[in-house]
Amino acid sequence: MKIFYFSATGNSLSVAKQLSDGKAEVINIAAFDQNTAEDHSIGIVFPVFCYDIPLIVKRFLLNTALKSPYIWAAATCGSTVGYSFVTINKLLKKRGQKLSYCKKIVLPDSCIAFKTPLDKQPQMLSAQKDIVKKISQDIAAKTENPVFKDKLLPINGAAWWGMKNIFGIKNKRVNADCDKCGVCVRICPVKNIEMRDKPVFINKDCENCFACIQWCPKRAISFGKLKIDDASKYNHPDITLQEMLKNNQS
Ligand SMILES: Cc1cc2nc3c(=O)[nH]c(=O)nc-3n(C[C@H](O)[C@H](O)[C@H](O)COP(=O)(O)O)c2cc1C
Ligand code: SF4
Ligand code: SF4
């Protein structure tokens, strides 16, 4: 089995690792540069961004021929997957494939605009273990289920409009607390940050994934009105920065 994942704050990487149980190949989409992948079972584990799949996952599905009789997907999200699985199924259909199984896993929110209260996080993190166990059993048995969507509105485009125009997330800044450690440059999955006299966002293919702002050890990054504080800083407790950086290298 091959499990492809994308992860910014570690939720999806944690799920991918649990599902692999040390046996399946766990492959970072951000570091994958081939145009085909073949296995008896192929999974995609990803975070939901604004009611849909991240652009990097979309590009992966457009550029990679997945050859498998059993393709499944697990979405990690704060509450709702929106159109994510419908989108994946549509993209797979273009290559004559289909999404056989899909499931969502609710975990603390990586988007600081919608932060999950700290006192709710332990319960969420522990509840996901049973859901992941069930997914693991289902995919081992090659169970099929219908592709589903939840919440039709607001649509994906409107949600991104709000993130950009209400919170101003395109306006990414680095303040004087930055010590030029380079973590943001190395954590960015699309090489959108360059180190000059300080880190500079070059705005090339930014996924707005929140990895840089969430992993900055100095809390020196802000996205428009969104700033990191004790309540909004989040990364999955079982995933280390070193693991994220190692897996991100292409
Ligand atoms: C830009 C952005 C948009 C998001 N949109 C949604 C959403 O529409 N629905 C939802 O339930 N969670 C949403 N989330 C939360 C993430 O999907 C969730 O926290 C996910 O588990 C993060 O996974 P990761 O740590 O692997 O990146 C969003 C997060 C970000 C950064
Ligand atoms: S991670 Fe933070 S402290 Fe380190 S270089 Fe980037 S902005 Fe500066
Ligand atoms: S610049 Fe930050 S938000 Fe944009 S893709 Fe890179 S890590 Fe994600």
Side-chain angles (χ1 to χ4, degrees), residues 3-7 11-13 15-16 19 29 43-47 57 72-76 105:
I3 304 179
F4 288 94
Y5 77 92
F6 172 63
S7 189
N11 284 349
S12 309
L13 175 53
V15 167
L19 290 172
I29 286 173
I44 307 154
V45 185
F46 63 94
V57 177
W72 54 272
T76 72
I105 303 128

Side-chain angles (χ1 to χ4, degrees), residues 7-12 47-48 50-51 76-80 108-110 208 210:
S7 189
T9 57
N11 284 349
S12 309
V48 176
C50 292
Y51 302 94
T76 72
C77 61
S79 59
T80 160
D109 210 306
S110 57
N208 290 304
F210 282 59

Side-chain angles (χ1 to χ4, degrees), residues 172 188-190 192-193 201 206-212 223:
K172 297 181 172 64
C188 178
V190 288
N192 185 41
I193 309 174
F201 294 90
C206 178
E207 294 287 326
N208 290 304
C209 68
F210 282 59
C212 52
F223 286 9

Side-chain angles (χ1 to χ4, degrees), residues 174 177-185 195 199 212 215-221:
V174 175
D177 293 335
C178 169
D179 64 1
K180 297 179 72 175
C181 69
V183 164
C184 55
V185 175
M195 186 61 79
C212 52
W215 288 99
C216 170
K218 294 289 178 186
R219 304 185 183 188
I221 299 176

